[in-house]
Amino acid sequence: MTLSVGVLLTSCSEFLNESDPSNFTVENYFTQPAHARSSVNAIYASMRDPLSSGFGGGAWAMTEFATGLAATDLGQAVNSYFVKDLNNTSDNGYGQTFWASYYRGIGNANLSIAKIPEITMDSEEATRLLGEAHFLRAWYYFELIRMFGHIPLVTEPMSLQSEQLRPAQADPEAVYNLIIDDLTIAEAAGLAWKNASGRVSLGAVKSLMAEVYLTMAGYPLQKGEAYYSLAAEKAEEVINSGEFELFDDYAALHDPSMKNIIENIFMIQFKTQLIVPNWQVLIIPYNKNISQYSDETGGIYATADFVESYEPGDLRAEEKQFFFTQFTHESNRNQVVDLGGYFIWKLFDEVAQTTTANSDLNWPVIRYANVLLTYAEASNEVNGPTTAAYDAVNAIRSRAELDDLEGLSKEQLREAIWRERWYELCFENKTWYDMVRLRKAYNVATKQFEDYVGHRFTYGPVLKERELLFPIPTSEVRNNTNLTQNSGY
């Protein structure tokens, strides 16, 4: 009896201590090539989180309201108004979404980078997957460093026992150095120039490198001409590859059949019925009964002052090019509804809005248009007006049915290129980043650039130095005593 009890106790002890073989942990997961692939797939997922939208607004709109060029009718989306009216605080849920989502993406990238080399698999595939992981980590850090300025730099997988569980803020230059190191690894990873599936491509890597170098040339690092030269060099490699071109018309920008091809170098991936982008509801005019979506939020649209500042004859400002002011009634498509504002056509999924309420659009991250403008700006800073710089910016203007730029001084061409960036890349989460790296804002009344600090939005608020960064989320500062809040918040 005693022996029987002893055996029973031992068996129970062994049973209770035995791990469930179907329960994946970090220690037992990374054992085969499929695990490497799935771990990298997981890194992409966090890119989608800030695009989630509804009657509470959408985090993706944060950097648009910070430009002073966006308006809203969505009264309950208080986070939008805090940013738009320059009354932002660290309690803003938009900032928390970006911080948490992007550090989750970084955490997954760190795990893949650490564990994939331990898996027995085809070496070329492993190198490509690691290239994707390094690119994605670089992209997340590039977004975070520009938004929040003083951020932790975490490069190892984390656990409750990690020394970096409550990391201190890094020198911003150290973060940029990691970004460049990651992109250099990705550049050498054997990736194809293009990838129609939406995965990271060599074109995406070199395009992002150009944008990072352009940013490092300006504020806050102010590395100047050497980095403008690097930006021009990487952008020129993309241009000279011959792999990308501008769409013939702007309709292709919101055509789901054009995802990940031609002008769309890199996008955040969505798929109708599977991973559905609900940011469509944020760009629908408020309760105008034009859409198959039940939520018509009026969450974000362009100010009239901005749209009406486009150069006369600019195709982008014409109806249903980048913006729209009228649409048909959802119960009678022969009835035209006046929308009362300039809503965002360049992001509008017509099939979803009129028929399915289930969008198939991707979100643009890097367009070839951006590469051309990056090259034009960077090369002008290094060499002044050249034929190549004019060709790049005039390709953008030609599509807009505008006359070519010519005969300008370096300073005149600089601001002309900036204006093209404001007009071409609006509402793609680019403009505020340009404002911060240049320390400039565009006065839509005078059509001139003026200092960021002291710039008055057309509806009243005035930019202060604190608005060069967003506040670190309250919960992060409370949970990590090693974090110091950005000045002014």
Side-chain angles (χ1 to χ4, degrees), residues 391-428:
D391 286 348
V393 67
N394 285 335
I396 303 296
R397 290 178 60 82
S398 178
R399 183 169 61 173
E401 299 183 357
L402 296 172
D403 293 337
D404 285 351
L405 299 174
E406 59 183 358
L408 303 180
S409 68
K410 177 178 179 178
E411 291 72 24
Q412 290 171 328
L413 182 56
R414 172 190 294 142
E415 294 205 5
I417 294 166
W418 290 350
R419 277 189 286 271
E420 289 305 317
R421 289 187 69 89
W422 256 249
Y423 289 136
E424 176 68 26
L425 304 176
C426 62
F427 296 96
E428 296 180 40

Side-chain angles (χ1 to χ4, degrees), residues 16 283 346 384:
L16 292 171
I283 64 172
K346 73 190 292 194

Side-chain angles (χ1 to χ4, degrees), residues 224-285:
E225 184 173 316
Y227 278 71
Y228 281 120
S229 181
L230 289 168
E233 176 185 318
K234 288 302 170 186
E236 188 174 32
E237 288 177 20
V238 177
I239 294 168
N240 289 343
S241 74
E243 298 285 349
F244 309 100
E245 58 185 304
L246 296 177
F247 289 128
D248 291 335
D249 57 60
Y250 298 121
L253 296 178
H254 54 112
D255 181 348
S257 71
M258 296 295 179
K259 297 192 296 189
N260 309 317
I261 60 174
I262 305 174
E263 183 170 345
N264 287 319
I265 296 176
F266 188 63
M267 313 183 83
I268 298 174
Q269 303 298 301
F270 292 95
K271 181 65 177 175
T272 186
Q273 305 294 340
L274 296 175
I275 305 175
V276 182
N278 66 350
W279 46 266
Q280 283 291 309
V281 302
L282 210 64
I283 64 172
I284 309 173

Side-chain angles (χ1 to χ4, degrees), residues 92 110 166 182 232-233 267 296 319-320 323 361 371 379 412 427 445 463 466-467 473:
N92 193 315
N110 288 341
R166 291 181 175 83
D182 273 346
E233 176 185 318
M267 313 183 83
E296 295 188 330
E319 184 73 9
K320 290 188 178 178
F323 311 100
L361 276 184
V371 176
S379 64
Q412 290 171 328
F427 296 96
L463 285 167
R466 77 164 199 161
E467 273 92 36

Side-chain angles (χ1 to χ4, degrees), residues 464-479:
K464 302 177 291 298
E465 187 172 358
R466 77 164 199 161
E467 273 92 36
L468 290 166
L469 294 172
F470 290 104
I472 298 171
T474 299
S475 60
E476 301 299 330
V477 176
R478 286 177 177 170
N479 292 334

Side-chain angles (χ1 to χ4, degrees), residues 177-216:
N177 287 341
L178 176 80
I179 291 167
I180 292 299
D181 288 345
D182 273 346
L183 292 176
T184 301
I185 291 170
E187 189 179 29
L191 299 169
W193 266 103
K194 298 185 291 189
N195 193 318
S197 73
R199 303 188 76 88
V200 175
S201 66
L202 183 59
V205 175
K206 289 182 181 290
S207 299
L208 185 59
M209 291 180 90
E211 193 170 350
V212 172
Y213 283 132
L214 187 72
T215 301
M216 295 176 75

